[in-house]
């Protein structure tokens, strides 16, 4: 167990590699209740959410979610988030554990006095469990009559799971696999019963409980950023390569002016890139990235072995001209320059079913 | 866990087995247990001088890097290359998965190290 964002959480149950491989080949169950939930309610909630986020919630239908971010006026990250549109006047924002307080204060400062909206931190009300992997749907289907096939990627529905009503079933996740995140009441007994029901249904199919260690190796392999590593108040949206979630055309929001200026002045000097170690060694957060001639051209933000790909991978901010796929660099590991190359991200993409096999 | 009687131990969780002027060095069962799955070992070449209490290599789990400290002063004569391909052998049996062999410059240094009983007690303390 370890402290994480103010919570006591397991790094692993049976081993990081075993858990990682289970998610890629069968399924894994994660207790992600540490995540925060902020609710916006009232006829003014759309305007409030739009003012504090970079993506465009007006594009969402009821029952749909989107990846987004809260930005500083400089266009840098306060947090990365998911926004769920429960209804035109009802939005559920899911935020990182370590930043929940900061996010809530920011939102209240920016939109707290907007008309017709009630904004509240409901983090304590929700238990959140993630079931991820190619067999996640099959396992969850045995516990609910909700038609999971009709919940498309990044959509959600309220349903009954393992005898518990009013569970929000979202087709979202942080592993690069198909899967669901369940939001249910944080009542301790009900939460434990849900955890155990999923384990009981899933274990015969290869489901294992998974901790923070596998959560990190899975998201890294899938090329997904982690706040505090790839995203921070020192990194802007363009550097992080998340411009596809940035909708400047929706109207002004916190950070939009600064981002327009960055865009107009030719873009960022550094960009996030994926690295694969070609020499023997594991790149880790904070290690320097060097050009073949030995000058520093960047820094590692996350790095570890990739259990499924059986390579050592990393994410790093590099000088823009070094980010072309195939560029050869080196990572300084305990004083020694170990060879690496820039590769396409995501490092891993799950196999897609064809329409016929769906 | 039975810590071999003829080994000596350090507070940094290394073991050394001495035979005359040759010492064989590895990390303890407690160390591999704390680390979790070991995926990478970084050891110096034969001929490298090592110094008692100083870092001479590292061992990595999926999540973290851990330094290895030399229990003695001397020169490395042999390195267990098998650990490059199979670092997991340390998890399987830490007390037989040796890392390096060293020619000791001062065999008396070994007398300063912990006995199996002292190490076992120390390791138990650390866990709490």
């Amino acid at each position: 167990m370890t402290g994480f964002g103010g919570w006591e959480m397991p790094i692993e149950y049976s081993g990081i590699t075993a858990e990682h491989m289970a998610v890629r080949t069968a399924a894994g169950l994660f207790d992600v209740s540490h995540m925060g939930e902020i609710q916006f309610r009232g006829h003014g909630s759309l305007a409030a959410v739009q003012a504090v986020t970079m993506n465009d919630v007006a594009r969402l239908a009821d029952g749909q979610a989107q990846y987004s971010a809260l930005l500083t006026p400089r266009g840098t990250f306060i947090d990365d988030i998911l926004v769920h549109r429960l209804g035109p006047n009802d939005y559920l924002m899911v935020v990182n554990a370590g930043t929940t307080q900061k996010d809530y204060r920011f939102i209240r400062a920016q939109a707290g006095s907007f008309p017709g909206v009630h904004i509240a931190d409901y983090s304590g009300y929700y238990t959140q469990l993630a079931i991820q992997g190619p067999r996640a749907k099959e396992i969850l289907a045995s516990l609910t009559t909700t038609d999971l096939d009709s919940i498309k990627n990044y959509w959600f529905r309220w349903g009954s799971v393992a005898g518990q009503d009013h569970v929000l079933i979202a087709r979202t996740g942080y592993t690069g696999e198909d899967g669901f995140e369940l939001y249910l009441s944080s009542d301790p007994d009900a939460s434990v019963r849900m955890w155990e029901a999923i384990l009981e249904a899933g274990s015969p199919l290869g489901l294992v409980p998974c901790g923070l260690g596998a959560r990190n190796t899975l998201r890294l392999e899938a090329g997904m950023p982690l706040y505090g590593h790839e995203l921070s108040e020192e990194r802007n949206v363009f550097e992080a390569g998340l411009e596809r979630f940035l909708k400047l055309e929706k109207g002004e929001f916190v950070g939009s002016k600064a981002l327009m200026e960055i865009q107009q002045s030719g873009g960022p000097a550094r960009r996030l890139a994926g690295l694969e170690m070609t020499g023997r060694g594991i790149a880790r957060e904070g290690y320097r990235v060097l050009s073949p001639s030995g000058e520093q051209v960047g820094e590692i933000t996350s790095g570890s072995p990739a259990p499924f790909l059986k390579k050592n991978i990393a994410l790093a901010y590099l000088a823009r001209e070094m980010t072309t796929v195939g560029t050869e660099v080196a990572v300084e590991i305990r004083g020694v320059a170990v060879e690496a190359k820039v590769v396409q991200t995501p490092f891993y993409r799950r196999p897609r079913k064809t329409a016929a096999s769906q | 866990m039975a810590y071999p009687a003829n080994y000596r131990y350090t507070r940094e969780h290394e073991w050394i087995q001495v035979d005359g002027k040759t010492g064989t060095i590895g990390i303890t069962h407690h160390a591999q247990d704390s680390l979790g799955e070991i995926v990478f070992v970084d050891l110096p070449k034969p001929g490298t001088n090592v110094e008692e209490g100083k870092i001479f290599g590292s061992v990595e789990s999926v999540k973290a890097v851990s330094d290895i400290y030399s229990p003695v002063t001397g020169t490395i004569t042999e390195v267990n290359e098998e650990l490059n391909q199979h670092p997991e052998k340390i998890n399987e049996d830490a007390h037989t998965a040796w890392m390096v062999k060293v020619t000791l410059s001062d065999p008396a240094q070994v007398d300063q190290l912990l006995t199996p009983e002292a190490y076992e007690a120390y390791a138990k303390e650390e866990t709490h």
Side-chain angles (χ1 to χ4, degrees):
Chain A
M1 298 291 279
T2 192
F4 187 83
W7 298 81
E8 181 86 344
M9 297 179 67
I11 292 180
E12 59 183 64
Y13 291 83
S14 55
I16 296 175
T17 299
E19 292 166 26
H20 183 114
M21 294 305 291
V23 173
R24 293 268 180 261
T25 60
L29 180 63
F30 301 76
D31 178 0
V32 287
S33 303
H34 61 309
M35 305 291 281
E37 288 86 6
I38 298 172
Q39 207 118 17
F40 294 66
R41 287 201 170 118
H43 64 267
S45 49
L46 174 71
V49 175
Q50 291 285 57
V52 298
T53 61
M54 72 173 181
N55 204 341
D56 186 359
V57 291
R59 296 177 177 218
L60 292 177
D62 294 354
Q64 197 177 10
Q66 68 182 200
Y67 179 70
S68 186
L70 307 173
L71 304 178
T72 67
R74 291 169 291 133
T76 62
F77 294 94
I78 290 178
D79 203 5
D80 66 333
I81 66 177
L82 284 191
V83 182
H84 302 71
R85 178 174 157 137
L86 274 59
N89 300 324
D90 195 353
Y91 297 84
L92 174 67
M93 195 181 275
V94 181
V95 302
N96 284 302
T99 47
T100 304
Q101 302 312 317
K102 178 180 73 158
D103 295 355
Y104 184 61
R105 277 197 307 269
F106 164 76
I107 291 166
R108 288 213 66 89
Q110 298 297 329
S113 55
F114 276 33
V117 60
H118 174 67
I119 304 168
D121 179 354
Y122 277 89
S123 306
Y125 282 74
Y126 289 102
T127 281
Q128 185 185 348
L129 303 179
I131 175 171
Q132 303 278 305
R135 302 196 84 171
K137 189 183 75 172
E138 186 186 343
I139 293 164
L140 188 58
S142 72
L143 296 168
T144 181
T145 54
T146 298
D147 176 15
L148 299 177
D149 278 322
S150 66
I151 305 178
K152 298 294 174 214
N153 201 32
Y154 275 79
W155 289 74
F156 61 90
R157 179 98 47 86
W158 292 98
S160 209
V161 179
Q164 260 184 74
D165 292 331
H166 209 62
V167 177
L168 196 154
I169 305 167
R171 202 154 192 170
T172 54
Y174 193 48
T175 60
E177 295 302 325
D178 184 28
F180 298 84
E181 295 185 299
L182 307 178
Y183 299 80
L184 51 145
S185 151
S186 60
D187 172 76
D189 293 328
S191 303
V192 170
R193 278 202 306 275
M194 181 66 78
W195 174 267
E196 288 177 349
I198 298 171
L199 275 186
E200 194 182 319
S203 303
L205 277 66
L207 174 88
V208 299
C210 300
L212 288 173
R215 184 162 165 82
N216 185 55
T217 52
L218 286 160
R219 69 92 192 169
L220 180 62
E221 227 179 38
M224 300 169 86
L226 174 61
Y227 193 81
H229 292 247
E230 289 71 45
L231 309 179
S232 73
E233 293 190 22
E234 279 69 58
R235 296 293 179 194
N236 67 58
V237 178
F238 297 112
E239 290 177 291
L242 293 179
E243 52 267 71
R244 67 194 182 283
F245 302 103
L246 170 67
K247 302 285 183 278
L248 290 167
E249 65 275 16
K250 74 169 181 176
E252 204 179 312
F253 56 90
V254 181
S256 59
K257 283 215 183 82
L259 290 170
M260 274 187 226
E261 275 162 39
I262 296 170
Q263 200 174 45
Q264 271 141 34
S265 69
R270 299 187 135 201
R271 282 196 64 105
L272 190 66
L275 295 182
E276 185 181 305
M277 300 305 296
T278 46
R280 192 176 173 266
I282 299 168
R284 304 267 182 191
E285 183 190 356
Y287 290 9
R288 303 195 308 148
V289 183
L290 311 173
S291 68
S293 57
E295 307 143 11
Q296 180 167 3
V297 293
E299 193 178 279
I300 305 287
T301 51
S302 298
S304 96
F308 182 83
L309 298 172
K310 299 197 187 346
K311 298 176 199 234
N312 295 324
I313 59 176
L315 291 170
Y317 277 100
L318 303 181
R320 188 129 131 249
E321 62 274 14
M322 300 295 288
T323 59
T324 316
V325 171
T327 305
E328 285 172 1
V329 294
V331 181
E332 191 179 56
I333 302 179
R334 288 179 289 287
V336 177
V338 181
E339 284 157 6
K341 64 179 181 189
V342 177
V343 293
Q344 194 76 262
T345 52
F347 305 95
Y348 165 86
R349 239 190 246 278
R350 72 173 181 270
R352 296 288 163 166
K353 294 189 154 89
T354 61
S357 66
Q358 213 123 38
Chain B
M1 159 55 37
Y3 285 94
N6 61 333
Y7 290 13
R8 290 294 176 263
Y9 303 84
T10 69
R11 284 190 171 77
E12 285 72 41
H13 309 289
E14 291 86 21
W15 57 259
I16 180 166
Q17 188 235 333
V18 178
D19 191 358
K21 289 199 82 176
T22 305
T24 304
I25 296 168
I27 65 171
T28 66
H29 172 81
H30 173 87
Q32 69 76 31
D33 192 49
S34 310
L35 280 167
E37 207 181 321
I38 293 170
V39 294
F40 190 87
V41 175
D42 194 1
L43 298 172
K45 296 194 185 354
T48 310
N49 291 329
V50 294
E51 211 182 304
E52 184 266 324
K54 295 276 193 318
I55 295 166
F56 74 91
S58 61
V59 68
E60 296 195 49
S61 65
V62 176
K63 273 209 75 61
V65 185
S66 216
D67 294 316
I68 319 171
Y69 297 78
S70 184
V72 292
T73 303
T75 309
I76 294 184
T77 55
E78 244 183 285
V79 176
N80 186 355
E81 305 283 349
E82 202 197 359
L83 296 181
N84 291 340
Q85 304 313 322
H86 296 287
E88 72 279 1
K89 291 221 173 273
I90 301 170
N91 296 118
E92 283 163 22
D93 190 343
H95 299 153
T96 60
W98 65 276
M99 293 180 164
V100 297
K101 290 191 201 278
V102 173
T103 301
L104 278 65
S105 53
D106 180 11
Q109 279 183 329
V110 183
D111 301 334
Q112 312 298 326
L113 301 176
L114 302 173
T115 62
E117 299 76 30
Y119 177 73
E120 190 160 9
Y122 169 73
K124 273 211 182 78
E125 271 293 301
E126 245 210 10
T127 315
H128 296 111

